[in-house]
Amino acid sequence: MKELVFVGLGLHDEKGISLQGIEETKTANQAFIELYTSVLPCFSMQRFEAIVNKLVHIISRHNLEEENGAVILNAAETGKTVFLIPGDPFIATTHVALRIEAEKRGVRTRIVHGASVMSAIIGLSGLHNYKFGKTVTIPFSENSSKTPYEVIAQNKRLGLHTLCLLDINADEKRFLSINEALTLLVNIEQKRKEGVITRDTVAVGVARAGSNAPTLKADFVKDLIRYDFGDPPQSLIFPGDLHFMEAEALVTLAGAPERLKRLAK
Amino acid sequence: MKELVFVGLGLHDEKGISLQGIEETKTANQAFIELYTSVLPCFSMQRFEAIVNKLVHIISRHNLEEENGAVILNAAETGKTVFLIPGDPFIATTHVALRIEAEKRGVRTRIVHGASVMSAIIGLSGLHNYKFGKTVTIPFSENSSKTPYEVIAQNKRLGLHTLCLLDINADEKRFLSINEALTLLVNIEQKRKEGVITRDTVAVGVARAGSNAPTLKADFVKDLIRYDFGDPPQSLIFPGDLHFMEAEALVTLAGAPERLKRLAK
């Protein structure tokens, strides 16, 4: 059967895959994996291959982009093929083109979902999911962009929270840190002076979401900018209007100053 | 050790749990499960208990709300306790209060994430994740509300997509369908006449996200309102501005009319 199954690996190590994902991989003719659209800090190929009892081929960004996924598509045209992807497979938009091409070639595609970094960070924070506006990625400074500042400003005007993913370059093992991201945003504020991200703005930093020991800290920007979050990956949330229960969650779960409760509605 | 681990069950059956979730459950002193904040259409307690090799106690909404989770908190105060929850544990805000109360009692809490309905639906659609605005739930008609109409309108003004979760009552096995939700929205349009949801508005319906056979269909409202999506659960997306690649995805993956590509930017 011509079939390509996209399987999510979750967030942290080789145990983030679902039981169904393991079964699909075991029963596939061929299995491929990519580890460049996101990072799984403690993933071991050796342990993973032992779990699925199968040789898994690593696909590089070069493989996929230069050859338009030919090696995966050719495999899928000869039998059931699994493509393993960090997180939930289509949260990064990278692989949508591959799925479309497979369907055009008459290859049936399916998705076995995994935990996504977005819902993990939102869940850890204790903030209400339906109060988040548009998500934005803050790029490394050499790609300096006003977009994140403008997205945070737009969401705040609507009373909404902003989830900021921080840029990673998994190939080079480079990660934008919360401290660097806050510095970039404060620099933009100093030019724009719109009061979106001041020293007294509240923000929430989350490091290593999906691991057994994530770090979660809510504080005013002037203090958060010096906080030590430890190892990557890291993310940031800028809250909009806070419900009382959300302020309570930030105080109890994220060590926010007690006076945050007075800002809640 | 006083410990409460919240474990996500994913979306569809007993195989949506991660390998880590299974291991946490096997090594817990006590395990509880709730199946009322969301629905897992093909979940079997018998098969699940065989996988985790443990008796799992079912918690009803009544248990949790009337007793403020006392049975779970008391168990966690005597040793490692696992609480199993559909989807990703804190995407429904229901359990945040339990987590806060546990931390206040000196019980360490952790989260083992699972696939969430939000990232699953966004991923299935092929639409770009960072172009979604605020999410909204469309309630049953007896709780008729203008909020969903207004959220869709606000997102559209900003060029953003809207994910609409459709109300469920898991206890009574009642599910709002895509057809019913569209009818509710068209009725509001007929009163408000703001042109947010007309017969020629494009929408995307998704049924049974996370199963092996989801149904995905993009079409104009006048046609989608009669489309047979089959069994629940179901959800809706109202696209904002479409990038060419997104229109291509809707045509190839969701059977949208070819002329949708002419609406893309």
Side-chain angles (χ1 to χ4, degrees):
Chain A
M1 187 182 184
K2 294 183 181 186
E3 188 169 35
L4 178 54
V5 187
F6 295 87
V7 176
L9 290 167
L11 299 170
H12 182 65
D13 61 15
E14 65 281 350
K15 295 181 186 173
I17 189 171
S18 68
L19 192 52
Q20 190 191 347
I22 293 169
E23 290 183 4
E24 299 281 3
T25 309
K26 282 183 174 172
T27 57
N29 281 0
Q30 285 198 65
F32 299 90
I33 191 170
E34 67 88 351
L35 296 165
Y36 67 83
T37 55
S38 187
V39 70
L40 300 173
C42 295
F43 184 88
S44 150
M45 268 300 276
Q46 199 180 348
R47 290 193 301 260
F48 184 72
E49 288 183 332
I51 290 168
V52 296
N53 194 23
K54 178 164 260 126
L55 191 74
V56 179
H57 307 283
I58 299 179
I59 292 287
S60 68
R61 184 189 303 269
H62 177 82
N63 286 147
L64 210 64
E65 289 180 0
E66 295 293 303
E67 299 158 17
N68 297 315
V71 60
I72 296 174
L73 292 166
N74 292 343
E77 284 187 324
T78 65
K80 178 173 168 177
T81 299
V82 157
F83 186 24
L84 298 142
I85 297 167
D88 198 25
F90 292 96
I91 282 309
T93 54
T94 318
H95 302 306
V96 177
L98 181 65
R99 186 168 172 226
I100 290 173
E101 183 59 26
E103 289 281 343
K104 284 184 172 172
R105 290 196 191 188
V107 173
R108 184 187 170 207
T109 63
R110 284 192 292 126
I111 307 177
V112 177
H113 297 281
S116 85
V117 67
M118 293 182 58
S119 72
I121 294 165
I122 293 171
L124 278 166
S125 74
L127 298 176
H128 293 168
N129 175 44
Y130 60 88
K131 286 177 62 186
F132 279 78
K134 186 174 154 74
T135 297
V136 72
T137 296
I138 302 182
F140 291 113
S141 56
E142 60 260 48
N143 312 316
S144 191
S145 156
K146 288 170 296 183
T147 306
Y149 184 91
E150 286 164 4
V151 170
I152 296 164
Q154 183 183 78
N155 283 335
K156 278 203 178 181
R157 278 195 297 273
L158 301 168
L160 301 175
H161 312 321
T162 309
L163 170 58
C164 303
L165 302 174
L166 307 189
D167 212 357
I168 65 166
N169 183 326
D171 296 335
E172 298 178 12
K173 300 203 188 315
R174 286 179 63 214
F175 303 88
L176 188 68
S177 71
I178 291 166
N179 312 112
E180 290 167 330
L182 287 172
T183 303
L184 290 172
L185 290 169
V186 166
N187 288 344
I188 296 172
E189 175 65 43
Q190 282 169 356
K191 285 174 203 147
R192 307 266 296 237
K193 294 186 172 42
E194 294 172 27
V196 175
I197 296 141
T198 70
R199 289 167 49 81
D200 296 313
T201 299
V202 173
V204 188
V206 183
R208 300 174 307 284
S211 76
N212 276 338
T215 295
L216 184 67
K217 178 67 181 171
D219 210 335
F220 300 101
V221 165
K222 62 186 168 203
D223 296 315
L224 207 64
I225 207 166
R226 289 192 303 264
Y227 191 83
D228 180 5
F229 280 91
D231 290 334
Q234 304 183 356
S235 312
L236 255 178
I237 296 171
F238 285 92
D241 296 340
L242 285 172
H243 180 271
F244 180 78
M245 272 297 293
E246 294 179 294
E248 171 90 31
L250 291 183
V251 170
T252 309
L253 305 176
E258 275 283 337
R259 67 183 184 279
L260 191 66
K261 290 185 192 172
R262 295 204 302 270
L263 302 175
K265 289 177 181 179
Chain B
M1 188 181 184
K2 295 183 181 185
E3 187 169 38
L4 178 54
V5 187
F6 295 87
V7 176
L9 291 167
L11 300 170
H12 181 65
D13 62 15
E14 64 282 350
K15 295 181 186 171
I17 189 171
S18 68
L19 192 52
Q20 190 190 347
I22 294 168
E23 290 184 3
E24 299 281 2
T25 309
K26 283 184 174 174
T27 57
N29 281 358
Q30 286 199 66
F32 299 89
I33 191 169
E34 66 88 352
L35 296 164
Y36 66 83
T37 55
S38 187
V39 70
L40 300 173
C42 294
F43 185 89
S44 149
M45 269 301 276
Q46 200 179 347
R47 290 193 301 258
F48 184 73
E49 288 183 332
I51 290 167
V52 296
N53 193 25
K54 178 165 259 125
L55 192 73
V56 179
H57 307 281
I58 298 180
I59 293 287
S60 69
R61 187 189 301 268
H62 177 82
N63 286 149
L64 211 63
E65 289 178 359
E66 295 292 303
E67 299 158 17
N68 297 315
V71 61
I72 295 174
L73 291 167
N74 292 343
E77 284 187 323
T78 65
K80 178 173 168 177
T81 299
V82 158
F83 187 23
L84 299 142
I85 298 167
D88 197 24
F90 292 98
I91 283 309
T93 55
T94 318
H95 303 306
V96 177
L98 181 65
R99 186 168 172 224
I100 291 173
E101 183 58 26
E103 290 280 344
K104 284 183 174 173
R105 291 197 191 187
V107 173
R108 183 187 171 206
T109 62
R110 284 190 293 126
I111 307 175
V112 177
H113 297 281
S116 86
V117 67
M118 294 183 56
S119 73
I121 294 165
I122 293 172
L124 279 167
S125 73
L127 297 176
H128 292 170
N129 174 46
Y130 61 87
K131 285 177 63 186
F132 279 78
K134 185 173 154 73
T135 297
V136 73
T137 296
I138 301 181
F140 291 112
S141 56
E142 59 260 50
N143 311 316
S144 192
S145 157
K146 288 170 296 184
T147 306
Y149 184 91
E150 286 165 5
V151 169
I152 296 164
Q154 183 184 81
N155 282 336
K156 278 203 177 179
R157 279 195 296 273
L158 301 169
L160 301 176
H161 312 320
T162 308
L163 170 59
C164 302
L165 302 174
L166 306 189
D167 213 357
I168 65 166
N169 183 327
D171 296 335
E172 297 176 12
K173 301 209 189 309
R174 287 180 63 212
F175 303 88
L176 189 68
S177 71
I178 291 166
N179 312 113
E180 290 166 330
L182 287 172
T183 303
L184 290 171
L185 290 169
V186 166
N187 287 344
I188 295 172
E189 175 66 43
Q190 281 168 356
K191 286 173 203 148
R192 305 267 297 237
K193 295 186 171 43
E194 294 172 26
V196 175
I197 296 143
T198 71
R199 289 166 49 80
D200 296 314
T201 298
V202 173
V204 188
V206 183
R208 300 174 307 287
S211 76
N212 277 338
T215 295
L216 184 67
K217 177 68 182 171
D219 211 335
F220 299 101
V221 165
K222 62 187 169 203
D223 298 315
L224 207 62
I225 208 165
R226 288 192 303 264
Y227 191 83
D228 180 5
F229 282 92
D231 291 333
Q234 303 183 357
S235 312
L236 255 178
I237 296 171
F238 285 92
D241 296 340
L242 285 172
H243 180 272
F244 180 78
M245 273 297 293
E246 294 180 294
E248 171 90 32
L250 291 182
V251 170
T252 308
L253 306 175
E258 275 282 339
R259 65 183 185 279
L260 191 66
K261 291 186 190 171
R262 295 203 302 269
L263 303 175
K265 288 177 182 179

